[in-house]
Amino acid sequence: MHDETTVEAFTQQAETFASSAIAHASETLDGLVRLADPRAGERWLDVACGPGIVCRALAPHVAEVHGIDLTPEMVRVARRETAAAGLDNATFGVGDATALELPDARLDGAVARFAIHHIPLPGRLFDELARVVRPGGRVVVADHLLDDDAGAAAWSQEIERLRDPSHWACLTLERLHALAAGAGLRLDREIVFAVALDFDDWLARGGADPHARGLVERALARPPATGQCFRVGERDGRCVLELRMWMARLRR
């Protein structure tokens, strides 16, 4: 059932996410590529690849990169944009990040960006990424974090689900570390940093209907004092959403 919700939501978001500022921001894209440290001759995988933005960033550095996404419309946009960019070593297909139709230990690296919070039982994602990457290979994951404080965490997740029904749950840093270790992955390097999004753009891209928007605004009127990972405020005369991002390179 949640897969169907995710496909429906991202079918609507395919074009808007492809052009969104957060998807192309240097800290969430160029920073990820630097952390991945891709090399000539390598084979990489990008799961929940969306419109192929990460694949196109990796492609000039590797022999080949393959992106999969559960949403056919995302795959269509990824193929279109990659063809327009003249890249012939990036390919795409429809697939499930938690049940990859790939053999064990065949890839040099795998990436999952902005995917974890959409997946029930996200340990399945870490297990699959660890399975398909060769010993010594890299797994690079990035997502926004959940507050350790229970009240702040509940507040932010209520807002996230109202804004986008495909949202399942963000995770704390401790939980992410535990899932990686449970999949047999060793933390090599991690970065935690803040990103600021235009709030109105973020809300609109989630497809929130007018009723949901009213509930979001009601929740925002009573923010918890302890929240650090999800905050709404003013910057340069505009309303912004500030998230705490986690980006990690893990070793198989």
Side-chain angles (χ1 to χ4, degrees):
M1 289 292 293
H2 188 68
D3 283 355
E4 294 174 4
T5 300
T6 299
V7 170
E8 181 179 355
F10 280 104
T11 297
Q12 297 174 13
Q13 296 179 42
E15 296 289 354
T16 56
F17 187 78
S19 59
S20 67
I22 186 63
H24 295 273
S26 177
E27 61 266 44
T28 63
L29 183 58
D30 299 338
L32 182 142
V33 173
R34 288 193 298 270
L35 189 64
D37 190 25
R39 301 162 192 174
E42 290 185 334
R43 301 172 63 202
W44 278 74
L45 173 71
D46 179 17
V47 301
C49 69
I53 295 166
V54 171
C55 285
R56 290 192 295 278
L58 287 172
H61 306 283
V62 299
E64 59 183 87
V65 56
H66 182 63
I68 66 159
D69 199 277
L70 196 62
T71 304
E73 181 63 12
M74 282 290 194
V75 172
R76 186 191 70 79
V77 173
R79 288 171 173 161
R80 182 194 72 200
E81 296 299 309
T82 301
L87 297 168
D88 59 7
N89 65 332
T91 58
F92 301 92
V94 176
D96 183 348
T98 66
L100 298 170
E101 297 181 1
L102 295 169
D104 297 353
R106 292 294 181 87
L107 299 169
D108 299 290
V111 177
R113 185 180 75 147
F114 304 151
I116 298 169
H117 65 273
H118 292 289
I119 297 174
L121 293 176
R124 299 178 300 153
L125 172 66
F126 284 89
D127 289 343
E128 280 295 86
L129 296 178
R131 180 182 68 79
V132 300
V133 170
R134 63 171 175 79
R138 285 97 73 205
V139 170
V140 179
V141 289
D143 214 324
H144 47 288
L145 292 169
L146 183 69
D147 279 293
D148 292 319
D149 178 80
W155 175 80
S156 69
Q157 296 314 283
E158 289 167 358
I159 293 172
E160 290 271 22
R161 293 182 193 121
L162 283 168
R163 177 253 178 186
D164 181 356
S166 73
H167 181 94
W168 186 264
C170 292
L171 302 177
T172 64
L173 186 60
E174 180 180 9
R175 180 61 177 154
L176 289 163
H177 286 168
L179 291 177
L185 295 167
R186 173 178 55 86
L187 182 63
D188 188 23
R189 187 184 174 199
E190 67 179 348
I191 308 166
V192 176
F193 56 97
V195 295
L197 293 70
D198 181 277
F199 178 78
D200 289 331
D201 175 68
W202 171 81
L203 187 58
R205 282 192 291 106
D209 62 32
H211 180 63
R213 185 179 184 115
L215 292 174
V216 168
E217 291 173 349
R218 180 176 177 178
L220 289 173
R222 302 180 66 182
T226 53
Q228 298 296 318
C229 293
F230 184 103
R231 297 190 292 188
V232 177
E234 291 279 338
R235 181 179 296 185
D236 299 326
R238 63 191 179 101
C239 185
V240 298
L241 169 63
E242 186 175 278
L243 302 174
R244 297 290 291 175
M245 295 292 305
W246 175 68
M247 193 179 293
R249 182 174 67 214
L250 308 161
R251 292 282 182 176
R252 170 76 163 80

